[in-house]
Amino acid sequence: MYRKLMAYIKEYKLASLLAPIFVSLEVVMEVLIPMMMAQIIDVGLANNNIPYVYKIGIIMMGMALVSLLFGALSGRYAAVASAGVAKNLRQAIYHKIQDFSFANIDKFSTSSLVTRLTTDVTNVQNAYQVIIRMLVRAPIMLVFALFMSFQLNARLSVIFLFVIPFLGIALYFIMTRAHPNFVKMFKKYDLVNLVVQENLTSIRTVKAYVREDYENKKFKNATGELQQYSINAEKILAFNSPIMQLSMYFTIIMISWFGAQFIIGGSMETGQLMSLFTYVTQILSSLMMISMSFVMVTMAKSSAERIVEVLDEESDLTNAASPLTQINDGSIEFKNVDFSYSKDPNNLALSQINIKIESGQTVGILGGTGSAKTSLVQMIPRLYDATNGQVLVGGQDVRDIDIETLRDNVAMVLQKNVLFSGTIKENLRWGDANASDADIIHACQLAQADEFIQSFPDKYDTILDQGGTNVSGGQKQRLCIARALLKKPKILILDDSTSAVDTKTDALIRKAFKEEIPNTTKIIIAQRVSSVEDADMIIVLDDGKINGIGTHEELLKTNAIYQEVYESQTKGDDQE
């Protein structure tokens, strides 16, 4: 895991090296200053040698300024290195997620991925800064201060040999008990983020159903569980400070007691005792820094494991060794296709699907809720792979085609229409980044979107809010259709994408498709029979299986499900 993370230091290796070098030089200056102070007391003041006091004092001031400079430089380089590593990690995770299939994203959940990109990377960033600065400074300070204290008085310094092992054992106990609680705590962070994300993205639904109290209760429960695991971890970490304070005061009392006797006995000077007190502070503050660093590193270890888990995840959708970079036409064929989201052959969403669609045909797909209509079409652009069997596009297995090439030739308007913050024009150019204004207007005319866009004061430069919340559902659907048309695809898939428009607009969109893009294969998933009755082929799905295939007239004669849907919708229209 650590080797994996080290690879993301990259261009920040120099800063990562300079930070500990400068902090080491800072420590050297700090450790020498108490020795100089002892010289002032025991030599300068004891002999009333004022010039000597001034001389040593000026040297000490110079050393303090140099120490300050080294400290500032180490802090700067540590900040640069840690922020750089965090930047590289976030970019790596983000790029990795872009290659994930829907199945990979489902495995982690969106809220968990957001937590790993934010909170977990921040924890690793803080820990890295601590490692290259504080965890370098503290051990060096400890060793140098111990060496200098033994130089001053070896007998008194033996006290440290009892205190340090005691602290080491205590810190080991604290760290090993706290880590499991941090692991559980970060899982609860994911849950809190999930609750917040669901509530904010669905706030209109929450308010429409007056579920604010329920959502507040759900959030309170999630944060309560997070609080409990945080308390459990902090209860253990709380022992850190009192143990450090106990050790510090014990050491100071012992040195004061024995040091006073040594001074009375004439085996120690007053200045040496004062310097020794400074070294006591340096040694114990070093141990305090080490303990605080281990707290942060322990917390960051849980975060690092979660980050590496994402970085090590392999997408289950990958290119073949020598992928095809050209698609002949828009023909589609399903050969004995089975599909399971869990890849469990005993839990299939689709089974034994055999369909052949010629290039340029218009195909309608009907079926009840849960009949796997969306699952069927998602295998065409390889958003998911078939569990068994083959899906062919242009006569070639989709697994042999370069994924980018395949998706460039398949435009899909998803069941959940998504628009991004920005202008209408910027959103439409997702279909073709180089589309001219004329191309954009033409695509919108085909999708019956131009009329309402022209009614806006800023027309195609109208700013859309995040998710397109400032346009209606039908307008959003038509914008998404126009965006798909700009790709000039060989295959166009509309997944229930005209459900929010009236039948007249629906008919105009289908008429435009027939006249303007006759060579594009069009697959239309719909709930209304009127949306697909002119199709060259209609597929009726039921419980993940093909219940019937044929034209509108053929299915009216032979398919019970199609007859039932048609009659119920026709009666509804007659009653209206």
Side-chain angles (χ1 to χ4, degrees), residues 16-73:
S16 299
L17 182 64
L18 289 175
I21 288 174
F22 281 120
V23 83
S24 301
L25 295 172
E26 178 192 13
V27 168
V28 171
M29 294 297 105
E30 288 187 16
V31 170
L32 289 175
I33 286 173
M35 188 65 75
M36 305 294 288
M37 183 178 68
Q39 292 296 313
I40 286 177
I41 296 171
D42 295 337
V43 177
L45 295 179
N47 299 317
N48 200 25
N49 189 346
I50 302 304
Y52 183 82
V53 172
Y54 284 144
K55 175 184 174 183
I56 300 300
I58 291 170
I59 293 173
M60 286 178 65
M61 287 179 62
M63 293 172 69
L65 289 172
V66 171
S67 177
L68 177 64
L69 175 63
F70 288 150
L73 288 171

Side-chain angles (χ1 to χ4, degrees), residues 40 57 108 158 162-163 170 301 398 417 426 432 455 512 522:
I40 286 177
F108 288 102
V158 171
F162 293 97
V163 175
K301 183 184 176 187
V398 292
N417 298 290
E426 288 169 347
D432 179 2
S455 69
K522 298 163 281 291

Side-chain angles (χ1 to χ4, degrees), residues 495-515:
D495 187 358
D496 202 15
S497 303
T498 56
S499 58
V501 301
D502 58 81
T503 53
K504 180 184 176 182
T505 304
D506 186 13
L508 289 171
I509 292 171
R510 287 185 284 112
K511 181 174 180 289
F513 286 172
K514 187 174 183 179
E515 293 174 354

Side-chain angles (χ1 to χ4, degrees), residues 353-374:
I353 303 297
N354 288 281
I355 305 169
K356 189 167 185 179
I357 302 169
E358 299 298 334
S359 182
Q361 277 191 318
T362 299
V363 177
I365 302 178
L366 257 70
T369 303
S371 57
K373 302 184 295 296
T374 298

Side-chain angles (χ1 to χ4, degrees), residues 367-382:
T369 303
S371 57
K373 302 184 295 296
T374 298
S375 302
L376 177 70
V377 296
Q378 284 183 338
M379 286 186 282
I380 297 171
R382 279 195 82 191

